[in-house]
Amino acid sequence: MEEWAKHFAANTLLNSLTKSTVGQPQGTCNMCAICLRDDKQVKAESWCHECQEMICETCKGLHKIVVTLRKHKITALALKNKTQSEDLQFPDMDEPCRSHAGKFMEVFCLDHEKLCCSVCFATKHRHCKHVEALEDIAKEMLKSNVDGNIEVLSKLAKVTQETIDHKEQTIREINAKKETILTNVSTEIENLKTKLDECQQQFEKTFLKTHDENEEKLVQCVLDLKRYLLTAENGQALLSAVQQKRSAKQTFVTAIKTIDDIEEQFQQFKANYSDDEDNQYEHDHTTILKQVCEKNKINDVTEVAGPSGTIWKLSTHLPSFRVLEHVEQKKEISTLFKKGMDALSLKAEKTSNFSISGSAHQGVFVDSQTVVTACSSPPSLKIYNHNGTELSCDSPIKLNGKPCLFSGSTQNVLYVGCLSSVYKLKIMNREENSIKLACVAEMKVKEDFDVFCIDEEQNRIIVASNEKITVFNLSPIFEVQTTMIPNLETRSLHSLCLKQDRFAAVSGHEVVCFSLSGQKLFQCQIPNVKNIRCLTFDPLMNVYVYSIYEAPSYMENGCCINCGHQFKEPDEYSYCTFCGYSLDSYCERCFSYGCAYKDRREVYQIISDGSNVRLFISDCLDGSFLFFSEHSKLLVLSDGTTCNEYKLKI
């Protein structure tokens, strides 16, 4: 009987919610779903989590009488304008364990961010290093964290409501478009006889089937978003009330449960709508007579799919949830890179190195201890601790081409680009020698790209190749701005770099920097450099270039090339006036100098406006890519097998 009740609730969910939201008079969206099926309009007061629908007080009473419904969990609806919190159902002081009957939550595992009873702790978390009693850890939770979570829930509710409005507007638009198309087609067909009538009937049958499928999908998406909105609003109201009237333990438990509910429902929504697209219609009704005469039919309506951006936009708020200060903190740019700093005062000191995979071509820090590298053969991601230990990880995405990386502004968030897709990954948990990644969202752009960056504040994705820069704005659909980059001689992916509002590349022996609008900001040539391998930006948009430097030589077969005089050994205080390195010989007659280093590996710094270029790191090992760790003040140079770290200081 209980299985029948669940089946009945699942089958009636779409019909009941559809009747209460689409095609009904204003004001029926908060009516009891059970009564609506009986053609009655009764205001809903509660939500049944098992039935997944709103119910009135009478139907709530039926849940207490019918045996198969008595175990259903029922909570009061949180109304937008409700100011009293007395009806909210606060969590019990002792939260029961969902997995072990009769047990209550007693501890919290920081390693996995999970509430645990004594059995959970003994069976699943006994090897975890950071497990604390709820009473102790709840004392560490700051009021600002709860306020932050409330603010995130408020933003989620706002974003969800805006998206619902957009989806409902889309439904109205496609219905209006449907009527327009049918009217235009009918007008043309009136001038034709039997053959046109048959074509009209076939066209309408095909189009209405397509439209019904499209509308049904959109309606279901709106219903799922409304459930998500309800979860966010209920969580916001409940967490606010618990914070004001209950203990720190209850507040902590409520925060954890609310975050889990939001993330679980988001993952379900993402799984159901993985394509993340909206369909619109296109149809040419002006050539119907020609279509009928040539093809004996009216052309079908074309569905044009475009990315809606719903999943990506919702996912931007999920990493903002906070419980304790050290969980999911925002990355802070080091004071070393605060505005007003003189870039010419920066110095670099080599501190350490560690080995990585031999196929790596790019790297980023996702936090101060974790480095992710992109490998091309085969296409893959590899993750290392800062000491060089490789962490095992099952990639949640399939890479069919050469990947590129961008580190998010929130710790534990990593963006991966491959071909025409951008994936948003989140580090879910870490073990001693392993790490777990989850794909939160995916965005597809029109064409393949070489490098990309994410502007999280303006909610946009910027991609670039050696020919053009394209900006995709999400609001909630993509608006495209494309800038062509003419006459750019790039030789590899490593010679391109993109950050926020500018794009740098290697053109021949020069470094060229453009704005996203295509304006050339500066063009800089480094003397005697014969090969520029890679470049990167620091937080203040200064450019760092790794290059092979060719030193001048004035000696041939031990003699001066200017006068033929024999070179002699210099003293220990003789240095090359050109590059500053010690001399291996000099000519006493014409004072020509022979530098001991012919080809050297150097890192140069180019100031953000291109006004100054200077030698930053001398006599480097070979390198193929550079990257920054903004929070730990490190510049890393790698040749694909070894990473050499340089500590930046003033």
Side-chain angles (χ1 to χ4, degrees), residues 514-567:
F514 297 91
S515 69
L516 297 186
S517 63
Q519 178 184 2
K520 184 183 293 185
L521 301 178
F522 66 80
Q523 186 169 347
C524 181
Q525 184 173 14
I526 304 173
N528 295 302
V529 166
K530 66 178 183 180
N531 185 9
I532 297 177
R533 293 282 184 85
C534 56
L535 47 77
T536 189
F537 286 106
D538 70 14
L540 294 182
M541 300 301 178
N542 303 308
V543 182
Y544 296 82
V545 178
Y546 170 81
S547 62
I548 297 178
Y549 170 86
E550 185 177 21
S553 176
Y554 296 96
M555 183 175 65
E556 184 176 352
N557 297 324
C559 298
C560 177
I561 62 174
N562 292 328
C563 66
H565 189 268
Q566 186 74 29
F567 266 36

Side-chain angles (χ1 to χ4, degrees), residues 587-620:
C587 177
E588 291 181 307
R589 178 179 297 176
C590 66
F591 301 102
S592 296
Y593 296 95
C595 185
Y597 299 91
K598 299 301 181 278
D599 287 339
R600 296 197 301 275
R601 275 71 176 163
E602 316 280 16
V603 174
Y604 287 85
Q605 180 195 57
I606 304 174
I607 304 303
S608 59
D609 59 0
S611 61
N612 195 308
V613 56
R614 64 173 179 136
L615 178 64
F616 192 67
I617 301 174
S618 61
D619 197 20
C620 303

Side-chain angles (χ1 to χ4, degrees), residues 369-380:
Q369 297 298 321
T370 311
V371 177
V372 179
T373 63
C375 304
S376 56
S377 181
S380 60

